[in-house]
Amino acid sequence: MDYQEFFENKIAALKTEGRYRIFADLERHAGAFPKARVRRDGKIKDITIWCSNDYMGMGQNPSTLAAMHEAIDLCGAGAGGTRNISGTNHFHVLLENELADLHRTEAALIFGSGWVANLTTLSTLGRMIPDCVFVSDEKNHNSMIEGIIHSRAEKKIFKHNDVAHLDRCLGEIEPDRPKLVAFESVYSMDGDISPIGEICDIAEKYGAMTFLDEVHAVGMYGPTGAGVAERDGHMHRITVIQGTLAKAFGVVGGYIAGTAAMCDFIRSYGTGFIFSTAMPPPVAAAARASVRYLKEHNELRERHQERAATLKRRLREINIPVMPSVSHIVPVLVGDPVLCKQASDFLMDSHDIYVQSINYPTVARGTERLRFTPSPLHTDADMDHLVESLAKAWNRLGLKAAA
């Protein structure tokens, strides 16, 4: 077999379909978010980022940066090992305590990323709990899907946010079998939010555990930023809360929160945790500072929601096809991978706006979109420029207007 030819042909197929991914070579500037510099086609220019998952700009918040600098000076760069072999730093302990306090749980456990947190926790639960059955929302994130697959446990898929179908799925499982319902709070591509209370009602009816991914909600929802479950008063009903430190908290890493026994179980049996080098202490220190800051600054969450609502309204006013969203996510439907990439390129090249085209397999074919994430730091002038530029893009490329 000609291996290189195989690789080249698979890449060529992606390019033919119009969904080959090209990274934007960005240089963010501390204190200037959402402004950045991009290197493109041999040129360097300043742009405004409209698609960052650093939803609150905390990756450049002075308190976050100061904590990281202090920890570097105190501890150096790396952890020096796995958590079990010399790699547990006091900043890890402090961060886990902070996260347990955020979610009002007995304990928390940190991982290198939210993806690893999901994969490790779900695969460990399904592998270790005898005869366990997963009941998973059909739009769950890839990391949750992979965790369930790697567990080799039986699974059932319920229709997205369909509590009646969830009820039927759970009702088909033998009453005495262990069961776990896995779902998200905010679904990041469509911007919809799950009915957490109703899902908990049904899970409790059948004696099932609940696993809630709050990756796109922590820091942004609830009085202290603990997520949608906090906002809606259901946090105490969730068996495993999973979150990230890489989005609203602006750093990197993932975590779970719950009972001390559950966290200790994953710590002791989860191979993705046991065999991974520990998070660098400066990262843990920065994440802890960010969590603490957002707990105390609800005005940022209010501003964040206002910016998202304002952008949705303004785009609808000029018939840009904003997809239904009840969250901070502002998805704009294009429906074609090639046109979606062309729109993204036009905005970057002609208007100094960066918004990434989102294509399959991240979203279903035919639902390709531009996904905007307004932050509390985007100004009215930024929004004026975006709206005017999008109108020009739609006209230039002949894209479909809102129905």
Side-chain angles (χ1 to χ4, degrees):
M1 180 178 185
D2 187 331
Y3 300 111
Q4 295 307 312
E5 182 182 22
F6 173 81
F7 300 147
E8 291 166 4
N9 288 342
K10 296 302 286 186
I11 294 300
L14 289 177
K15 291 180 177 179
T16 299
E17 291 182 46
R19 58 187 186 94
Y20 177 72
R21 302 182 182 203
I22 298 173
F23 295 156
D25 185 355
L26 302 174
E27 181 181 300
R28 304 204 319 164
H29 296 289
F33 185 80
K35 307 301 180 182
R37 184 168 292 165
V38 66
R39 287 172 170 80
R40 186 176 171 92
D41 299 327
K43 300 176 182 178
I44 301 174
K45 68 174 182 175
D46 294 325
I47 61 166
T48 302
I49 300 175
W50 275 97
C51 57
S52 176
N53 280 344
D54 186 357
Y55 292 128
M56 311 295 274
M58 288 302 297
Q60 300 182 20
N61 185 280
S63 64
T64 307
L65 301 185
M68 182 172 278
H69 281 296
E70 181 182 1
I72 290 172
D73 293 338
L74 184 65
C75 300
T82 64
R83 289 290 296 275
N84 188 51
I85 304 176
S86 84
T88 294
N89 186 279
H90 188 52
F91 284 114
H92 298 140
V93 177
L94 293 175
L95 174 56
E96 287 172 342
N97 290 341
E98 196 70 47
L99 291 167
D101 180 75
L102 174 68
H103 292 289
R104 298 193 288 279
T105 57
E106 292 177 350
L109 188 68
I110 57 174
F111 297 79
S113 71
W115 197 94
V116 174
N118 270 339
L119 175 73
T120 300
T121 305
L122 287 167
S123 63
T124 304
L125 290 169
R127 175 172 53 88
M128 294 295 297
I129 298 174
D131 211 21
C132 185
V133 184
F134 286 106
V135 185
S136 177
D137 188 288
E138 67 178 346
K139 289 194 175 181
N140 277 343
H141 189 263
N142 166 266
S143 56
M144 301 173 76
I145 295 169
E146 291 293 330
I148 293 170
I149 289 172
H150 281 271
S151 77
R152 299 183 179 178
E154 183 182 343
K155 67 178 182 295
K156 291 178 175 287
I157 308 300
F158 69 95
K159 295 176 183 177
H160 180 53
N161 283 344
D162 188 331
V163 292
H165 190 219
L166 171 62
D167 194 316
R168 290 197 298 274
C169 287
L170 284 168
E172 293 168 355
I173 302 169
E174 296 91 329
D176 292 338
R177 286 189 70 180
K179 298 169 280 289
L180 186 148
V181 179
F183 63 110
E184 301 181 40
S185 57
V186 176
Y187 287 83
S188 65
M189 289 300 141
D190 294 334
D192 55 335
I193 294 178
S194 63
I196 297 175
E198 294 177 70
I199 290 174
C200 286
D201 289 342
I202 295 169
E204 290 164 3
K205 172 183 172 182
Y206 291 99
M209 297 179 289
T210 47
F211 183 104
L212 175 62
D213 178 317
E214 290 256 39
V215 159
H216 292 276
V218 289
M220 296 170 281
Y221 295 86
T224 66
V228 177
E230 180 192 36
R231 184 197 70 177
D232 295 350
H234 301 298
M235 197 160 56
H236 63 288
R237 305 175 69 186
I238 306 297
T239 310
V240 185
I241 296 171
Q242 185 269 345
T244 186
L245 304 166
K247 294 183 170 61
F249 295 128
V251 194
V252 70
Y255 66 90
I256 59 171
T259 66
M262 185 277 295
C263 290
D264 197 15
F265 170 77
I266 300 300
R267 181 190 73 85
S268 301
Y269 288 97
T271 53
F273 178 85
I274 294 169
F275 294 104
S276 290
T277 296
M279 176 187 292
V283 171
R288 177 177 178 246
S290 181
V291 172
R292 297 184 78 177
Y293 186 92
L294 284 178
K295 281 181 181 178
E296 302 297 327
H297 289 273
N298 194 52
E299 75 280 0
L300 281 178
R301 282 181 281 281
E302 293 174 349
R303 167 75 173 172
H304 188 218
Q305 291 295 316
E306 179 276 321
R307 292 284 79 186
T310 298
L311 181 58
K312 291 174 194 175
R313 174 181 58 78
R314 293 199 58 185
L315 293 180
R316 288 179 179 125
E317 286 173 352
I318 60 169
N319 294 321
I320 297 293
V322 178
M323 302 171 70
S325 168
V326 294
S327 70
H328 59 282
I329 307 295
V330 184
V332 172
L333 181 65
V334 177
D336 178 274
V338 174
L339 289 174
C340 201
K341 177 68 164 56
Q342 288 177 356
S344 175
D345 288 344
F346 174 75
L347 290 168
M348 176 77 89
D349 295 336
S350 300
H351 298 282
D352 303 333
I353 289 169
Y354 174 43
V355 58
Q356 184 64 40
S357 55
I358 307 295
N359 297 329
Y360 178 84
T362 306
V363 296
R365 298 181 193 275
T367 69
E368 293 84 3
R369 68 199 66 179
L370 301 175
R371 174 183 176 270
F372 296 91
T373 55
S375 78
L377 303 179
H378 283 93
T379 66
D380 287 341
D382 292 332
M383 200 172 293
D384 289 341
H385 180 57
L386 173 63
V387 172
E388 293 166 5
S389 301
L390 269 176
K392 292 175 182 177
W394 246 247
N395 182 60
R396 179 185 179 91
L397 297 172
L399 300 177
K400 292 181 180 179

